[in-house]
Amino acid sequence: MRFVLYVRADICYNVIMNNEKERIEYDRIYDVAAGCLIGGAVGDALGYPVEFFSLDRIKAEYGEGGITRLALKDGNALVSDDTQMTLFTAEAVLLYADGRGALEECGAAAYDDWLVTQRVYAPVKGNTPLSLSPRMYARREPGNTCLSALESVVVGALDKPINDSKGCGGVMRVAPCGIAAKLFGGADGAATAGAKFAAITHGHPLGWLPSAQLAYIVACAALGKSDLGAAIEASRAAMPRLFGEGRHTLKLDALIGMACDLASGNISDEEAIALLGRGWVGDEALAIAVYCALKHERKPYDALIAAVNHSGDSDSTGAITGNIVGAFYGEDSWLDDDVRALDVKEEIADVAGRLARVSA
């Protein structure tokens, strides 16, 4: 049994199931949830130390192969705001599952809890159980767009954009929407939820469209209906169907198409990622993750190494890549030592268990 299974909350795993079929489905969804959330955290922690480094600087400090192992501080691998906000997105999903309001209201409530963790240094009881975890109270390079949007009295929405930001702060946090695809009625509903949660802070279509697409891809894994390649192709077809064939949808699809083509070619990871961008904006971050996930589909950790070694937003591209690969290949994709090193491993295990309860 994997380490993370030992630390997840008993109340999550020891749910009374009506029959063995329900137990099997719960375990399957838990594996998707744990794989996705752990993968995102490991990718985030791998890229976090080099987030603002050029590729030349990364190589100068870590060798020609770049950073390839988690950097530890007092024995812990630190995650950034990407993993923090992903876990609070999961809490937003759980608030919605509990009937606590509309999606945007639940998202705003959960993200308000995250905002508090960036202002104070000790737990303050908020809207979610995660607000009581001392380990969440750490300021790890939070995005200015997320901070300013959440500090506003206005809650952003798809039809009422709060700004014109297309940064990757939306897409890097919405994987839990895909894990809970059954709650949202399928992959289409998960994509819509991902878009709505991202739009709370990112008003530009290229801030929330990639979020919808990531949620759709992860939803395919949660629903168990396709492999990774087929899921990505299905997500490409879904975006114009759900959100129209506007120029932003077309631009996103062109970049994702390029990522797929590059993944099937012989170009190096460095060259391919340089063509796709640096990942500071949503469409580039998702495209880099799609490329890395497809190029190294059967070698999850290699996908993370490729995703973080570039002159851009290394922690976000690492996190999104880990979300995708982990969702399809599960908890066993990741090394025990890496899981044990994560500073928020208990929180990930608890959230994965609670997500599985509402998603099975």
Side-chain angles (χ1 to χ4, degrees), residues 216-217 219-235 328:
Y216 192 101
I217 293 169
C220 290
L223 296 170
K225 293 184 177 180
S226 64
D227 61 21
L228 176 57
I232 291 170
E233 287 307 307
S235 75
F328 280 90

Side-chain angles (χ1 to χ4, degrees), residues 104 154-163 195-196 199-200 202-205 208 243:
E104 293 89 345
V154 178
V155 176
L158 294 176
D159 58 347
K160 295 180 180 179
I162 193 170
N163 53 38
K196 288 183 175 182
I200 291 173
H202 288 70
H204 194 287
W208 52 260
F243 303 106

Side-chain angles (χ1 to χ4, degrees), residues 36-182:
C36 180
L37 296 178
I38 292 170
V42 173
D44 178 16
L46 184 65
Y48 182 34
V50 298
E51 178 182 7
F52 300 107
F53 287 16
S54 67
L55 182 57
D56 287 343
R57 183 178 173 187
I58 294 173
K59 290 183 176 183
E61 296 203 15
Y62 294 94
E64 187 61 27
I67 187 168
T68 60
R69 296 300 308 156
L70 295 181
L72 302 183
K73 182 177 181 180
D74 297 327
N76 291 318
L78 305 184
V79 300
S80 77
D81 63 315
D82 295 43
T83 298
Q84 291 175 338
M85 294 199 76
T86 297
L87 294 176
F88 277 104
T89 298
E91 292 285 23
V93 170
L94 292 162
L95 288 175
Y96 178 73
D98 197 36
R100 300 280 291 276
L103 276 172
E104 293 89 345
E105 294 172 330
C106 293
Y111 294 147
D112 279 348
D113 281 2
W114 171 78
L115 186 61
V116 171
T117 69
Q118 304 303 292
R119 290 172 166 168
V120 301
Y121 299 96
V124 176
K125 182 174 175 56
N127 303 294
T128 65
L130 200 59
S131 68
L132 296 176
S133 170
R135 284 178 291 269
M136 300 306 295
Y137 288 76
R139 195 174 174 97
R140 306 274 174 78
E141 306 295 340
N144 289 331
T145 297
C146 289
L147 290 173
S148 62
L150 296 175
E151 287 167 351
S152 169
V153 296
V154 178
V155 176
L158 294 176
D159 58 347
K160 295 180 180 179
I162 193 170
N163 53 38
D164 196 38
S165 176
K166 56 182 179 181
C168 69
V171 64
M172 57 79 165
R173 69 183 192 236
V174 300
C177 297
I179 295 169
K182 286 186 179 179

Side-chain angles (χ1 to χ4, degrees), residues 299-317:
K299 295 181 178 180
Y301 203 85
D302 287 354
L304 299 188
I305 292 172
V308 304
N309 283 291
H310 61 89
S311 302
D313 197 350
S314 296
D315 59 341
S316 294
T317 52

